[in-house]
Amino acid sequence: MPKQILVVDDEAAIADLVEVYLRSEGFAVHKSGTAGEALACVDSVPLDLAILDVMLPDMDGFALCRRIREGGKLFPIVMLTARVEDMDKITGLTLGADDYVTKPFNPLELVARVKTQLRRYTRYNQGAPAQPEEYDIRGLQISKAAHRCTLFGEELSLTPLEFSILWYLCRRQGRVVPSEELFEAVWGEKYMDGSNTVMSHIARLREKMREPSRKPRFIRTVWGVGYTIE
């Protein structure tokens, strides 16, 4: 049985676009233009995931997210919005959202995030392994066993060092990894002050991942400390 996805957006063009991409991946899609319609769908359909627009005519997406969680529904929720303020993101995640996508968005990236959330939800319910051998972070997939890395379905040609750097950061997702720790873990040597080795390799990794220099989507620099994948 296909996974059941709810798309809530009062802009029909956007909802239709998302539906096309999700259906092409084999998902069953239910569309709602208002929070009221969405809540009725939540009560009547065994959903696997919901994509909620923040700006709705009868109730904002944050309130809708809260209502869904208060009703005991635990399926993943992805917030979709044109608002980019950090406080909006924090609000959504605090109310029970699992991910946050800003308009305008790449439909392929949105689908990748949907797949990631569904995999995480399935693993959580089945009991996740203590140390997984692969990760899927918002469409960035990396497998240690296969020594393979793809970004939104496109394989990245990484050197062994670049792969090791990316794997180490993914294993520590959400934590800032100091440059010294990263160097010593990957190169197996004592870190020397002033070394630009890590910085240059991170720069090449970002280039291969087509990361924007000012606002990278994956590998973020914490100045004076190190790097993190959130």
Side-chain angles (χ1 to χ4, degrees):
M1 181 178 177
K3 297 292 187 183
Q4 308 291 312
I5 310 295
L6 171 63
V7 178
V8 186
D9 199 310
D10 63 337
E11 295 186 59
I14 292 179
D16 291 344
L17 177 65
V18 173
E19 179 184 21
V20 168
Y21 277 86
L22 289 174
R23 287 194 182 279
S24 71
E25 294 294 328
F27 296 116
V29 179
H30 307 268
K31 294 184 296 182
S32 299
T34 66
E37 292 175 357
L39 289 171
C41 182
V42 168
D43 289 337
S44 61
V45 178
L47 296 172
D48 295 289
L49 182 142
I51 300 172
L52 311 181
D53 184 27
V54 168
M55 303 300 291
L56 296 171
D58 54 342
M59 179 190 302
D60 68 57
F62 297 135
L64 176 57
C65 177
R66 184 175 61 248
R67 287 279 297 275
I68 291 173
R69 290 302 188 225
E70 288 175 348
K73 303 298 184 181
L74 300 177
F75 53 75
I77 294 176
V78 177
M79 304 299 294
L80 186 62
T81 180
R83 296 158 63 174
V84 298
E85 290 84 353
D86 287 342
M87 188 53 65
D88 284 343
K89 181 175 181 179
I90 293 171
T91 299
L93 297 177
T94 301
L95 292 173
D98 298 277
D99 203 355
Y100 196 95
V101 178
T102 304
K103 298 177 182 178
F105 58 89
N106 182 334
L108 292 175
E109 180 178 355
L110 177 60
V111 171
R113 293 199 185 192
V114 166
K115 290 181 176 179
T116 296
Q117 292 302 326
L118 289 171
R119 272 192 288 267
R120 286 178 178 171
Y121 185 61
T122 301
R123 288 173 185 167
Y124 175 79
N125 288 335
Q126 294 177 347
Q131 292 188 339
E133 290 300 301
E134 64 179 41
Y135 291 89
D136 186 337
I137 302 173
R138 304 190 311 279
L140 172 64
Q141 296 177 298
I142 186 167
S143 169
K144 185 177 182 181
H147 207 273
R148 185 170 182 265
C149 181
T150 61
L151 182 61
F152 306 136
E154 180 181 350
E155 185 162 1
L156 299 179
S157 178
L158 304 181
T159 67
L161 276 174
E162 289 166 351
F163 184 93
S164 296
I165 291 170
L166 192 55
W167 175 258
Y168 195 85
L169 291 174
C170 288
R171 283 287 301 270
R172 290 150 183 80
Q173 180 187 3
R175 179 189 144 206
V176 179
V177 178
S179 299
E180 296 90 333
E181 177 185 333
L182 187 57
F183 181 89
E184 293 177 6
V186 174
W187 277 265
E189 302 174 7
K190 186 68 177 176
Y191 180 82
M192 302 296 293
D193 289 340
S195 173
N196 291 321
T197 303
V198 173
M199 184 185 300
S200 62
H201 277 78
I202 291 289
R204 281 197 289 271
L205 255 178
R206 285 173 170 160
E207 183 177 353
K208 290 184 177 181
M209 295 168 68
R210 300 187 184 93
E211 287 267 64
S213 58
R214 292 187 177 275
K215 293 185 177 181
R217 296 168 296 175
F218 294 97
I219 304 175
R220 186 169 66 87
T221 300
V222 180
W223 296 108
V225 183
Y227 304 91
T228 183
I229 291 182
E230 297 181 328

